[in-house]
Each structure stands twice: as C-alpha cells, then as structure tokens.
Amino acid sequence: MEQEQMSLRTTDNNGVATIIPTPPHVHTDTLPELTTAELVRYDRHLLLPQVGVEGQRKLKAASVLLIGAGGLGSPLALYLAAAGVGRIGIVDFDVVDESNLQRQVLHGTKDIGRPKLQSATDRLCDLNPYIHIDTYETMLRADNALEICKDYDIIIDGTDNFQTRYLVNDVCVLLGKPNVYGSIFRFEGQRRCSILGWVGHAIVASILSHPHRALCPRVPRVVSSVFCRGLSV
C-alpha cells in the first residue's frame, strides 16, 4: 500500500503557511505517541497551531544526522534536541580544546580533553532524556559516508573543510537526502538547504539551492583557502 503523505498545514495572521511534514519513512497513522512527560516538556510547542500534538509527534519520528560537533554543530544539536527530534546522529572525531569554548556551546570547561562525542552526548541527554543519540567517532570518508547517512531523514553539514563538504553533497545527491549546510567568515554567514529527491518533506525549511558541484564543479584548492584558526573560528 502506498504511503499517504500528510502534513500539518496552518496559516498565521499574515497569511503565511507553515508545514511540518511527515518523514517519508513514517505512516501518519503510526506516528509515535507522546508520553505524559513529553506532553509537559513540549507544552509551549503544543500551544502553537503550527505545531500542536501531531507536529510534535512528527518531530519525535524524525531523524537528523549532524556532521561535526563544533561551532556550527553545537547550537544545531542543542536546539534539535530541545525541540524533540527523536533521533540525532553526530559524526565527530575531535577532542574538546579550551580554545573551542568561546563558540562551541555544546561543550564546557569540565570537558576539556574529552572526545566531543562524549561531551555532546552527556549534554544532549541532560537537555532532553527522551531522545536517542547515535555517535560515530570517525572521519566521514568515501568508504563510510553512505552507510552512516542512509538511515537519516536530513543531513546537516557543520564541517570546516571543502573535501568533506563535497563528499556530503555527493552522498546526499546519491541518497536523495536534504543537505542543510552553513558557513561563517568572521562576521558574515551563509546557510543553504539542497533538497534533492525529497521536495516537500524537509523538516527544516530553508533556501533551496543547487548542489555544490553545480555551483563550483571543482573542490577549491586547500592552499588557496583561509583556515578557520586565522579567522577566529
């Protein structure tokens, strides 16, 4: 039986429609129920007509993979966890350094020297014990990227090098996954969402754009790049 795709759609006083779609792997009649504790925790969400109980159940059914638990991944992880996204995967192989702490808000002073995945898991589980955290303590490479990414609804790229960004882009194209990514340059920032093969099903609505290779076919040379440390990132 073909899955019926249903979305919670409401319109605010300005006529702006908001949609929280059902993840493609979930039937709307089998969305996970919210426990009493979750109803209390997400009370402010449930009061919003654009979310409500059905929207919160869709968030609970959703899965997001974060690649990188640094300056970009930190706030994303915190807000996704707080919002109640049911399954969050994190890919990172770095350890917490004291110089990280002025921007990587997922980690604290007590975490210096610890793997970022351990620090992130502890913080997110403390923030919301009703979600599931998957960790992948490895560099994302061509030989493991498809396997890691295949079971998530949305892939978020918080990395700081061109090679990994192009790899994530290619994997999302092959798997038909939304690729959400952002970058900063001192006081400037960009964010994009490439939706390939999943139009209308992205939980995070953002600017639609072409894949990296359509914008810049070749990976920029590392020698011509300005490294993060020199940009205070």
Side-chain angles (χ1 to χ4, degrees):
M1 179 178 178
E2 184 178 355
Q3 176 181 336
E4 181 184 4
Q5 294 295 342
M6 298 179 61
S7 297
L8 177 66
R9 183 185 186 96
T10 59
T11 304
D12 65 16
N13 293 333
N14 296 316
V16 178
T18 301
I19 299 176
I20 299 181
T22 306
H25 60 85
V26 176
H27 291 270
T28 54
D29 57 354
T30 59
L31 287 169
E33 296 292 340
L34 300 176
T35 65
T36 301
E38 288 173 321
L39 290 171
V40 173
R41 175 174 291 263
Y42 305 126
D43 175 68
R44 299 302 188 271
H45 276 178
L46 305 183
L47 294 174
L48 295 170
Q50 296 90 344
V51 182
V53 173
E54 184 181 355
Q56 193 64 50
R57 290 171 66 197
K58 291 177 181 180
L59 289 174
K60 185 175 181 177
S63 60
V64 175
L65 179 68
L66 289 172
I67 304 174
L72 294 171
S74 286
L76 283 166
L78 289 168
Y79 278 102
L80 289 171
V85 172
R87 181 187 175 203
I88 299 174
I90 308 174
V91 182
D92 203 291
F93 60 94
D94 201 2
V95 298
V96 179
D97 184 82
E98 189 167 8
S99 65
N100 299 150
L101 300 182
Q102 44 73 253
R103 66 197 183 282
Q104 299 184 17
V105 293
L106 191 55
H107 316 290
T109 302
K110 64 180 177 56
D111 299 312
I112 293 173
R114 298 180 71 201
K116 288 184 178 179
L117 286 183
Q118 292 182 12
S119 171
T121 300
D122 289 349
R123 178 68 183 96
L124 296 178
C125 288
D126 178 63
L127 178 63
N128 190 344
Y130 307 115
I131 62 172
H132 180 76
I133 307 294
D134 298 325
T135 58
Y136 305 89
E137 193 167 6
T138 180
M139 177 184 292
L140 197 74
R141 305 183 306 270
D143 63 350
N144 65 13
L146 285 170
E147 181 64 26
I148 291 175
C149 296
K150 66 182 178 65
D151 293 327
Y152 291 90
D153 298 325
I154 293 178
I155 313 300
I156 301 183
D157 183 353
T159 61
D160 59 4
N161 66 85
F162 293 122
Q163 288 78 12
T164 305
R165 287 191 171 238
Y166 273 73
L167 173 61
V168 174
N169 174 85
D170 294 345
V171 167
C172 287
V173 171
L174 289 172
L175 295 175
K177 305 280 188 181
N179 178 16
V180 180
Y181 55 97
S183 61
I184 60 172
F185 179 84
R186 295 181 176 140
F187 290 99
E188 301 175 15
Q190 294 182 342
R191 58 95 170 93
R192 295 285 187 273
C193 177
S194 294
I195 302 179
L196 306 167
W198 205 49
V199 176
H201 298 303
I203 292 173
V204 181
S206 186
I207 295 176
L208 300 182
S209 68
H210 296 289
H212 290 335
R213 294 192 186 278
L215 297 173
C216 185
R218 296 183 180 180
V219 180
R221 294 174 58 191
V222 176
V223 293
S224 65
S225 306
V226 182
F227 290 96
C228 288
R229 186 174 180 181
L231 297 173
S232 300
V233 175

